[in-house]
């Protein structure tokens, strides 16, 4: 059975319609932040196992950016899908 993602704009779609950008949890440093903060943000990332949030792009559908909360360890269960603009306005929970 194919994995399905419920796009808030297009409804239930196969995961093959999406591309994953990566972790949605890092917060961009302020423009005047020290170089070390930028190095951590750009180059050093954790690779957690379990429940994570990621940016996904609905490339074969509405072309919107989404934030998908899912299990990356075993079940690959999708817990929530939010439009990225809504997620940003809510303060990245």
């Amino acid at each position: 059975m194919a994995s399905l993602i419920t796009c808030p704009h297009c409804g239930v779609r196969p995961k093959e319609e999406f591309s994953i950008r990566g972790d949605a949890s890092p917060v961009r440093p302020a423009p005047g932040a020290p170089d070390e903060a930028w190095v951590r943000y750009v180059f050093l990332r954790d690779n957690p196992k379990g429940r994570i949030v990621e940016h996904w792009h609905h490339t074969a559908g509405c072309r919107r950016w989404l934030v998908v909360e899912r299990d990356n360890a075993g079940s690959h269960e999708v817990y929530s899908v939010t439009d990225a603009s809504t997620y940003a306005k809510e303060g990245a929970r």
Side-chain angles (χ1 to χ4, degrees):
M1 183 168 158
S3 296
L4 300 173
I5 305 291
T6 302
C7 174
H9 307 285
C10 304
V12 179
R13 312 300 289 184
K15 71 172 176 44
E16 290 78 16
E17 287 191 5
F18 300 85
S19 60
I20 302 173
R21 176 179 173 245
D23 191 358
S25 62
V27 177
R28 184 183 177 100
D35 289 344
E36 296 81 23
W38 282 100
V39 167
R40 281 192 306 276
Y41 176 74
V42 174
F43 299 109
L44 304 176
R45 298 289 174 98
D46 292 332
N47 189 15
K49 185 176 182 180
R51 198 167 179 157
I52 60 169
V53 290
E54 298 172 309
H55 283 112
W56 286 47
H57 186 233
H58 196 175
T59 52
C62 61
R63 305 196 54 80
R64 298 284 301 193
W65 282 98
L66 308 171
V67 175
V68 177
E69 182 180 16
R70 70 178 183 99
D71 176 14
N72 72 348
S75 70
H76 297 285
E77 178 181 352
V78 174
Y79 300 106
S80 67
V81 180
T82 308
D83 187 277
S85 65
T86 302
Y87 186 83
K89 288 175 190 171
E90 291 176 356
R93 299 177 244 165

